């Protein structure tokens, strides 16, 4: 492996994903990723039962929990590993940053002990970490949305008019509804992102990113009012004062220094500066070289998260949120999203690709996606005769409707597997174009796009289609682990120039973040065909996604009724 | 094989398909199919080039020709074979009937010699038989439809308002347009069905079925007028008088007796009665036990042909045709159709079924369809959450629009392969329900359905879904070769009771046709879910098939433009 450079200084970023945590050790001067280590969570995603010895406690559908001790183990396993691998002296590590999935939250005691770590609560599922994809709080999200609409809450407009079941107060209210004793026992309710920073620094420091995007906080107005919370449940009225904090630290600040305990976990030096916590997608923005308006960052993996910076707020239709200081201090961070992208292609390969493609992939030692991509790349735009609505997992932006479903039209007996595959790629590109047009319609410029997150480097056709469909240049972040790199960059900013880091995220970005040399430019020859296809997409989008034609919702209702009456077969 | 019964009398039906011809020898008293023989056409379907030694003559896309000598070889190969197999004396064969695909037509000299059999014409594709699925006469069909609309031709209403490129005058006009020397040289233009009867009997006898369904003839009004044909092309004005005949024989009549030459081909007795020619789907109606109103016969294979008898004419939306004496003498025969049924399921298995299903089929020694069917059969109606429009090959009835395409809506990341398979089955059942409702709306009762044609005996789920969706009892013809059996029955009617057969098709049907014991009755428990799903189908059907939302046609136009501009890759 690459050895440390004489006299160099380093920063460490730790990225907490759904299945594992990852640390990267980065050279502050160059952004070179010197060493990486991954810890696969011992208890993974808990979606069927609690971990042994309590594995007789079953979890209902839509539940997804985690064990907070897996996060501590991540520090213990990965940070010493990267130091050792790179042969770097702990004293040369000037800062640490972390990023997390969100909203991933847990109840703790006043000193930060997770309730699930206490014997009296550990058999109660509500005492554990609720992972971002815990979807069992939908009834609570519905109540929050209903009340917010009734009361005309101003903050609703910042979230596309609807908050998600994944978010902080939906999950908190579910605890109160279903396990009031846990709610009462919880001195604190806290994002896991902030909890790990608390564990590292001893400082319960709440970050502006998760507060803004997941807990309806804004710099101007703070959290929703006591009256609003009281309208949901009198016991919830003082949740912010009692179990949270109104003292929100901006992204880019220093949360504190490593405690002796955390220094022992990590083998770092006590007092090493630790950045305010961040979110995985959002921290990828500077790691993709973007610290100002005009360039969208598309974090492309199983889904797409679209992030844009603006110098002032704007009402963008169907965005997930807009938060001041939410991504880069001093700017408004806009977030939008598409619910199924890589997941959609994976679904297709799993359910709809015949043996010949699998055999070709095996024979050539490549992925089935690569075989499909090669065949699909031979087609002219429009040649497949298909257009799809990419709503296999609902529509996040701009329709904000989880009950929408996938549609494909144009199939004939001559339609091939690769025709359909290409139409799904095109559909996700059309979805991105709808989002870009919504931003531009609201006065937020999107001049070009930087993609990161896994899909871009694997699928050149995908990138070219996105460039052609959106008419934007698509660049790709050089790093394949932008979240961890971005956290390391914020670690450098937490240190500051005086302690060997940087004073601003702009400076850190200039020195540490890079783009790949591969650039996808719109092919003007494809413009007319894609404009024509996009007009069809847009028409179907509005027909099925808005207004009268609620075919998709009626089908969901019919399906729910069928499942409810289904008798289990022999 | 089964031996002949002492003293029994027999009839022979010969069914001319697309790839082969088949003869069946049937016991007149019982309808028992004593022996069957199949001849695979030496020159098959000619869709790339003419047969050797002229195989350097290439055919354009959409062409489909045949060699008429293959039909003669069918007689020579199959009739002696069934006689030999059954050890039946030729003197005990009282009649012969034939059925054919339609419109399958050819140009001949005045004595019936096919032009393609003459050295001076054999290298001209227009001298050969144009098979039913020759689709290169679309421009001519468009002209015929256009002129018929302009002139307000009354016959247009009998064909759903539009005639097909497959039909007789479209094909004839294509010959005139593209090969006027062939048109001039053709003393006769004739359905292959009638041509083989001519070859058997020496009598150029034209049948009411193909004349009515494929050449716009009716018992009352005859063929379209000279003025109409002159409007298409002055050279076409007298096509009926010059190259056809206005003397149309009804289904059920005798065309003549076997010539000495034909007796030599078949080893039958000269003078053996031969029935007026018939069409494969239509002749299946009495073979499915139906000779009166109230019961639909669904000939279910790659597509579905729906046939219904009525005592008076009616304007049924989008039917393929209504012809007096077209199916059973004395009644009006209605025909409707669905363009892709078995073909759709085959397309799905070929393009969209992953390896696990193929492996399961191989391991269990069953068909992939059977694996899918078993999994799909476990679902409740509506549980798949999907609805599809089954227009992978356009919509024949009731929209009469070849440019419509397939659609599926409701897909999620939880959708399985078998969910989609079931939705395609359901979509074809919904298509049948639309047709049944169109008949009933026009006052033509459909009380129950008899299915035949290949699919019914192979797929029980399909039949049950059809019964549930349509609310009709579905029965199945006992014979697996209803066309050949039906032809044999008409052979018996050609003989008449005096010569050992029957005087009417009703009598023949009563004695010779049977139903399977398997009956599919509507499951009332599924009614509500299917009514709800059908309402969605009907809404999409009208939105995409009629009126404003011509997404499918625009996609076809975009595709055509893309293919036209496509450069061939390296």
């Amino acid at each position: 492996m690459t050895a440390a450079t004489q006299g160099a200084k380093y920063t460490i970023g730790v990225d907490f994903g759904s299945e594992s945590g990852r640390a990267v050790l980065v050279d502050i001067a160059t952004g070179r990723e010197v060493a990486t280590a991954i810890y696969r969570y011992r208890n993974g995603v808990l979606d069927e039962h609690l971990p042994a010895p309590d594995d007789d406690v079953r979890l209902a559908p839509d539940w997804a929990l985690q064990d907070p001790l897996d996060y501590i183990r991540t520090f213990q396993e990965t940070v010493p590993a990267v130091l050792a691998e790179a042969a770097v002296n702990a004293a040369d590590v000037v800062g640490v940053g972390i990023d997390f999935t969100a909203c991933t939250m847990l109840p703790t005691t006043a000193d930060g002990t997770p309730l699930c770590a206490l014997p009296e609560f550990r058999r109660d599922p509500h005492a554990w970490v609720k992972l971002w994809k815990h979807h069992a709080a939908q009834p609570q999200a519905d109540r929050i949305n209903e009340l917010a609409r009734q009361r005309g809450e101003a903050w609703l407009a910042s979230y596309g008019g609807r908050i998600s079941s994944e978010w902080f107060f939906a999950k908190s209210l579910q605890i109160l509804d279903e396990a009031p004793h846990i709610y009462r026992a919880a001195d604190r309710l806290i994002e896991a992102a902030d909890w790990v920073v608390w564990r590292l620094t001893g400082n319960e420091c709440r970050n502006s990113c998760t507060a803004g995007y997941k807990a309806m906080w804004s710099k101007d107005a703070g959290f929703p009012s006591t009256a609003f919370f009281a309208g949901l449940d009198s016991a919830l009225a003082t949740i912010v004062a009692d179990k949270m904090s109104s003292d929100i630290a901006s992204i880019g600040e220093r949360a504190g220094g490593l405690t002796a305990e955390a220094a022992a976990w990590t083998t770092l030096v006590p007092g090493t500066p630790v950045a305010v916590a961040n979110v995985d997608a959002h921290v990828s923005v500077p790691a993709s070289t973007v610290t100002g308006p005009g360039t969208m960052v598309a974090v492309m993996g199983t889904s797409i998260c679209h992030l844009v910076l603006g110098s002032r707020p704007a009402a963008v239709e169907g965005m997930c949120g807009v938060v001041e200081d939410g991504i880069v201090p001093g700017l408004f961070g806009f977030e939008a999203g598409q619910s199924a992208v890589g997941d959609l292609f994976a679904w297709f390969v799993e359910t709809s690709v015949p043996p010949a493609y699998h055999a070709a992939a095996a024979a050539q030692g490549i992925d089935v996606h690569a075989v499909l991509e090669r065949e699909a790349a031979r087609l002219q735009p429009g040649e497949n005769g298909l257009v799809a609505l990419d709503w296999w997992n609902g529509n996040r932006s701009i329709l904000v409707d989880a009950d929408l479903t996938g549609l494909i039209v144009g199939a004939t007996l001559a339609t091939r597997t690769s025709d359909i595959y290409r139409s799904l790629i095109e559909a996700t590109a059309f979805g991105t174009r709808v989002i870009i047009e919504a931003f531009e319609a609201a006065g937020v410029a999107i001049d070009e796009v930087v993609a990161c997150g896994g899909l871009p480097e694997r699928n050149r056709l995908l990138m070219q289609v996105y460039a052609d469909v959106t008419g934007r240049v698509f660049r790709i972040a050089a790093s394949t682990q932008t979240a961890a790199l971005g956290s390391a960059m914020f670690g450098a900013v937490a240190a500051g120039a005086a302690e060997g880091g940087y004073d601003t995220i702009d400076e850190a970005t200039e020195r540490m973040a890079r783009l790949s040399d591969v650039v996808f430019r719109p092919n003007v020859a494809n413009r007319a065909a894609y404009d024509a296809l996009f007009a069809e997409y847009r028409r179907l989008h509005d027909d099925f996604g808005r207004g009268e034609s609620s075919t998709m919702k009626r089908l969901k209702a019919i399906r729910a009724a069928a499942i409810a009456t289904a008798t289990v077969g022999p």
Side-chain angles (χ1 to χ4, degrees), chain A residues 3 54 115 154 157 171 203 264-265 305 322 343 351 364 395 399 403 418 429 439 456 498 511 515 527 548 556 570:
Chain A
D54 304 304
L115 293 194
K171 283 171 167 155
N203 177 20
W265 296 340
C305 186
V322 51
D343 268 358
T351 63
Q364 298 165 47
N395 178 296
L399 298 171
D403 286 334
S418 53
F439 274 107
R511 304 294 291 274
L515 293 172
R527 185 81 198 172
E548 303 318 306
K556 277 214 164 180

Side-chain angles (χ1 to χ4, degrees), chain A residues 419-444:
Chain A
D419 290 324
I420 303 175
Y421 186 71
R422 184 172 176 125
S423 82
L424 298 181
I425 288 175
E426 291 167 346
T428 64
F430 295 141
T432 291
R433 180 163 166 181
V434 168
I435 290 167
I436 288 175
E437 293 190 354
F439 274 107
E440 298 233 307
V444 180

Side-chain angles (χ1 to χ4, degrees), chain A residues 3 6 15 37 121 131 169 204 263 288 333 336 345 358 412 435 482 496 540:
Chain A
Q6 190 66 30
D15 165 45
F121 296 123
L131 186 60
F169 293 114
E204 185 195 334
S288 299
F345 309 142
H358 293 268
T412 73
I435 290 167
T482 45
L540 293 169

Side-chain angles (χ1 to χ4, degrees), chain A residues 532-551:
Chain A
L533 285 174
F534 180 67
E536 298 305 327
Y537 178 91
R538 177 65 98 164
R539 203 171 276 120
L540 293 169
H541 175 281
D542 291 350
D543 284 351
F544 282 87
R546 307 183 197 266
E548 303 318 306
S549 181
S550 56
T551 313

